[in-house]
Amino acid sequence: MDNPMVLGGREFRSRLIVGTGKYSSNEIMREAIEASGSEIVTVAVRRVSLPGSGTSILDFIDPTRYTLLPNTAGCYTADEAIRTAYLGREAGLGDLVKLEVIGDSRTLFPDVAGLLEAAKILAREGFTVLPYTNDDPVLARKLQDAGAAAVMPLGAPIGSGLGIRNPYNIKIILETVTVPVIVDAGVGTASDAAVAMELGCDGVLMNTAIAGAKDPVAMATAMRLAVEAGRLAFKAGRIPKKLYATASSPLEGVPDWAP
């Protein structure tokens, strides 16, 4: 048994958060989400039709089974992100928000100043803020101090599938903040998710790695198992790394006459 992941006072058993973009169909998206075992599903407020405006992606997500995590994807200023968060709340998507303030259209790296500004304002206004951020321990601490309920450092650029490029920074972030740390962006396959969890992260958020796979449903299953395995390995405690070999069956104490 494991302790639940707590975000804004809410408990979640699954430590895998999945997105809803880039699927070939809404039906496959629904199957993949179910296979992932996730309890939290991200929805880009600016990129979907909200309830009451015709066919919506939300028609394929059961609100009794999943917690919706509206995000501010596509926002390039703090003001845009704040307005989008309010739009999601007014549309009935709740106070939980994945905060994105993008600073560059090619790399999709965060705008650090805008992100921190928006996080302060939204936290003050009662939102549960989960900011997508660089793998910067100093910024992570500032976001926590600003009221963020978690910090979500990138493993690699969004959609790149490069995996965890700087595990050492992630480790420092884990030592720097007390709020949950969730790797967001860059995961490409199951081993990447396992690495994130083995580092001690509280969760992993992904979209493209599942939606862009040849078989999204199978990949969603693999990611679920990888997150569970990585978490279990972290809690079990790995052996220390050594430069030289250590015999699995030591000879100390074995009599000379033993075969």
Side-chain angles (χ1 to χ4, degrees):
M1 297 296 292
D2 190 10
N3 295 328
M5 178 173 64
V6 180
L7 298 174
R10 283 170 272 192
E11 296 184 351
F12 301 94
R13 288 293 172 185
S14 173
R15 294 174 179 272
L16 174 59
I17 304 172
V18 296
T20 53
K22 301 184 178 180
Y23 285 93
S24 59
S25 73
N26 287 328
E27 289 76 15
I28 290 178
M29 175 199 71
R30 179 167 54 193
E31 291 181 42
I33 291 173
E34 183 173 356
S36 75
S38 178
E39 296 170 90
I40 306 175
V41 179
T42 66
V43 177
V45 176
R46 293 169 59 115
R47 295 175 181 168
V48 300
S49 299
L50 295 175
S53 57
T55 302
S56 170
I57 197 172
L58 301 180
D59 296 333
F60 295 84
I61 303 171
D62 184 353
T64 65
R65 292 185 60 185
Y66 305 106
T67 295
L68 292 178
L69 175 58
N71 68 59
T72 62
C75 295
Y76 282 80
T77 68
D79 286 343
E80 276 188 295
I82 292 167
R83 285 197 301 270
T84 301
Y86 272 109
L87 176 62
R89 184 157 74 175
E90 291 299 318
L93 300 181
D95 293 325
L96 199 64
V97 61
K98 178 192 171 187
L99 179 62
E100 296 184 32
V101 182
I102 302 301
D104 176 71
S105 61
R106 186 168 65 93
T107 64
L108 300 181
F109 286 154
D111 178 334
V112 172
L115 180 67
L116 188 56
E117 177 187 352
K120 288 179 180 178
I121 293 172
L122 290 173
R124 190 170 62 237
E125 293 298 316
F127 285 88
T128 299
V129 182
L130 311 178
Y132 157 70
T133 178
N134 293 321
D135 56 352
D136 178 354
V138 175
L139 179 58
R141 185 179 64 246
K142 289 183 177 181
L143 287 166
Q144 175 181 266
D145 293 345
V151 291
M152 303 203 298
L154 54 83
I158 292 173
S160 68
L162 291 172
I164 313 300
R165 305 314 303 159
N166 197 339
Y168 305 104
N169 271 27
I170 302 294
K171 287 286 287 184
I172 295 172
I173 289 174
L174 287 163
E175 296 172 0
T176 301
V177 302
T178 57
V179 296
V181 176
I182 300 170
V183 165
D184 178 9
V187 169
T189 191
S191 57
D192 299 331
V195 166
M197 298 306 296
E198 288 171 5
L199 287 171
C201 292
D202 296 273
V204 182
L205 190 156
M206 65 183 71
N207 185 160
T208 306
I210 294 176
K214 291 181 179 179
D215 186 337
V217 177
M219 184 60 80
T221 303
M223 291 300 189
R224 172 176 59 81
L225 296 172
V227 168
E228 292 173 359
R231 175 67 177 176
L232 186 58
F234 169 72
K235 290 178 68 66
R238 65 158 292 142
I239 63 171
K241 295 181 180 181
K242 299 177 181 179
L243 183 60
Y244 298 104
T246 302
S248 298
S249 301
L251 297 179
E252 289 83 354
V254 177
D256 293 339
W257 51 263

